[in-house]
Amino acid sequence: MKAVKIKEGIYWVGGIDWNLRNFHGYLTQRGSTYNSYLILDEKITLVDTVKHYLTSEMLERIGSVIDPPRIDYVISNHVEMDHSGSLPELMKILPNATVFASPKGEAGLREHYRENWNIRAMESGTVLSLGRRSLHFVLTPMVHWPDNMVDYMPEEKILFSNDAFGQHLASSERFDDEYPLDITMLEARKYFANIVLPYSKQVQKALVGLQDLDIGLIANSHGIIWRKHVAGILKEYQRWASNETRRRALVIYDTMWNSTEAMALAIQDAFESRGYLTTLLSLQTNHISDIMTEVIDAEYICLGSPALNGRMMPTMSAFLTYLTGLAPKDRKAIVFGSYGWGPRQIDEMAGILSDSGFGVVAKEKIKYVPSREDLAGLKERISALLI
Ligand code: FEO
């Protein structure tokens, strides 16, 4: 396996995880990559590593350029093990190398690996000379762990951004001008929605820190590298982090005997009649991580579940746990569902949403099977909310 040149003397030497389908609960239908970068300079430097089971692939790619033990510096931008997992094996062949990390990164690496590596903690603004080129460290705490940092190389206008701007996407192509842009952007949006969303405020702060940099290439640590659409992905991050919504509603539901589904359709009809772009998402056929991709710009989140043993259905419970953890801000919510003898699930769902900052604007319940009149009344009440 070969390295891929991204600039003169700078190579992608990562690992491609073609078969990854689940990244701690995030459905990764297109697999992923862990991008490492090799910089040939007076100090030979490796930026980030890969997941432990792809270490030999990374070493083979490095070996296509130089003998791996020649590496002097290893930059660890993020402790999470998809980027640091190769360190134990790598450091066995680099006993004299220096590892550079943020102060929290240094502590995290020591706590994770309990090894006596030579780790230097770098503060924001610190510059590391590699010889002809340099790396300027910018700490980006909570995007999305406390230890995160990014590195800017002004001589080549490269931002080594780690998780930021990444996508879970396995491909033989490395650059955004080689791969369908709509897929790359969709996967970047899914990545933001499922990983970065709770830290939108920190993202905005980080973007301010980066705004004065002349960035010609974003060497991120997952998926496709940005070189043609740098301004485009920066703009999208700004938009997603600003929590900007549009006239859009999601109707997310599970159903047992189609009564709650009938309510979902009536609610969809109500939103459409008021000019909302409305998406119907059954929890039986859509993965929660795909639903989150749609949540990003939706003004209304409507959640429906029938009563099951006096509670909401487990699919809805799982989605609510996931949704409230990812914590989209300032959204309006509608809860609905059918019931037989006790509609406790409605207040249960509404309570979780209210406690998490959603504005619950309607709670709709219908006993057993909705009649035509029931559904017409439901549509009318929801439409009336949207004037
Ligand atoms: Fe790609 Fe937060 O690790």
Side-chain angles (χ1 to χ4, degrees):
M1 280 175 237
K2 295 262 189 291
V4 177
K5 190 194 279 186
I6 66 166
K7 288 263 181 173
E8 205 51 53
I10 303 177
Y11 298 86
W12 173 87
V13 289
I16 305 178
D17 204 344
W18 294 100
N19 295 320
L20 184 80
R21 291 295 176 270
N22 188 314
F23 192 90
H24 40 63
Y26 173 156
L27 192 68
T28 51
Q29 297 96 323
R30 291 189 170 92
S32 194
T33 72
Y34 315 104
N35 298 341
S36 303
Y37 299 95
L38 180 70
I39 304 166
L40 302 187
D41 211 312
E42 288 167 30
K43 293 292 184 187
I44 296 176
T45 301
L46 184 70
V47 178
D48 286 320
T49 70
V50 298
K51 240 184 192 175
H52 66 93
Y53 54 77
L54 292 172
T55 303
S56 57
E57 180 176 328
M58 178 189 75
L59 289 172
E60 196 177 326
R61 291 190 199 279
I62 295 171
S64 71
V65 182
I66 54 143
D67 195 19
R70 289 182 58 202
I71 292 170
D72 300 292
Y73 292 162
V74 178
I75 311 296
S76 177
N77 283 318
H78 181 25
V79 174
E80 196 166 11
M81 289 82 96
D82 48 336
H83 308 293
S84 68
S86 302
L87 280 174
E89 208 171 317
L90 183 69
M91 295 308 282
K92 281 183 196 152
I93 60 170
L94 306 177
N96 299 315
T98 307
V99 179
F100 295 87
S102 69
K104 287 215 161 61
E106 182 201 355
L109 287 174
R110 295 203 189 285
E111 284 163 356
H112 272 70
Y113 295 105
R114 299 179 178 84
E115 296 280 359
N116 196 26
W117 299 326
N118 177 23
I119 308 176
R120 272 181 60 191
M122 307 304 271
E123 293 288 353
S124 234
T126 315
V127 178
L128 176 68
S129 173
L130 309 181
R132 286 174 292 112
R133 291 167 293 202
S134 59
L135 290 174
H136 297 226
F137 298 102
V138 181
L139 304 195
T140 53
M142 297 317 294
V143 184
H144 66 122
W145 274 25
D147 58 272
N148 283 94
M149 69 177 188
V150 301
D151 333 310
Y152 179 61
M153 180 183 275
E155 298 83 359
E156 304 287 355
K157 300 182 182 173
I158 298 176
L159 180 71
F160 296 97
S161 68
N162 194 265
D163 276 339
F165 313 115
Q167 332 90 39
H168 282 312
L169 204 170
S171 67
S172 297
E173 296 86 349
R174 297 272 64 83
F175 299 101
D176 59 349
D177 47 33
E178 299 174 338
Y179 197 82
L181 181 62
D182 53 346
I183 298 176
T184 310
M185 214 41 113
L186 176 69
E187 291 296 344
R189 177 185 164 116
K190 180 171 180 181
Y191 192 92
F192 187 96
N194 283 277
I195 306 259
V196 187
L197 182 62
Y199 312 108
S200 292
K201 278 209 158 49
Q202 289 88 343
V203 171
Q204 286 182 304
K205 218 167 142 186
L207 289 170
V208 169
L210 300 178
Q211 71 188 3
D212 294 331
L213 303 181
D214 183 6
I215 301 170
L217 187 147
I218 298 178
N220 40 290
S221 288
H222 291 293
I224 297 287
I225 296 166
W226 301 95
R227 69 177 176 190
K228 186 175 180 192
H229 301 282
V230 169
I233 186 63
L234 286 170
K235 195 170 154 207
E236 288 297 278
Y237 255 61
Q238 187 65 56
R239 200 161 64 87
W240 299 332
S242 69
N243 200 44
E244 191 181 305
T245 58
R246 59 185 175 135
R247 206 169 168 82
R248 183 170 191 210
L250 306 183
V251 184
I252 302 158
Y253 70 98
D254 203 344
T255 195
M256 288 162 63
W257 295 103
N258 304 102
S259 293
T260 299
E261 184 166 61
M263 295 178 74
L265 290 166
I267 291 170
Q268 179 195 22
D269 203 9
F271 274 96
E272 284 183 349
S273 72
R274 295 294 186 199
Y276 276 77
L277 177 69
T278 311
T279 310
L280 197 69
L281 295 156
S282 164
L283 285 165
Q284 292 178 14
T285 53
N286 292 280
H287 193 266
I288 55 177
S289 59
D290 287 320
I291 295 176
M292 278 313 300
T293 314
E294 307 303 318
V295 166
I296 279 274
D297 61 356
E299 181 186 343
Y300 277 89
I301 314 287
C302 310
L303 296 174
S305 169
L308 177 67
N309 304 321
R311 310 290 302 268
M312 70 183 94
M313 289 187 74
T315 46
M316 181 56 73
S317 180
F319 179 66
L320 272 172
T321 301
Y322 198 58
L323 173 74
T324 53
L326 289 165
K329 301 283 181 297
D330 305 324
R331 308 306 171 97
K332 284 173 266 191
I334 291 172
V335 294
F336 65 95
S338 64
Y339 67 100
W341 44 97
R344 263 181 49 204
Q345 88 277 18
I346 300 296
D347 283 338
E348 191 180 21
M349 289 192 289
I352 292 169
L353 287 163
S354 297
D355 290 348
S356 302
F358 287 75
V360 180
V361 296
K363 298 195 281 183
E364 293 285 348
K365 52 183 182 284
I366 290 178
K367 191 168 185 188
Y368 290 132
V369 179
S371 65
R372 193 185 298 243
E373 293 72 30
D374 287 334
L375 294 175
L378 173 61
K379 182 183 169 186
E380 205 171 298
R381 288 191 297 281
I382 300 299
S383 301
L385 284 174
L386 307 175
I387 291 173

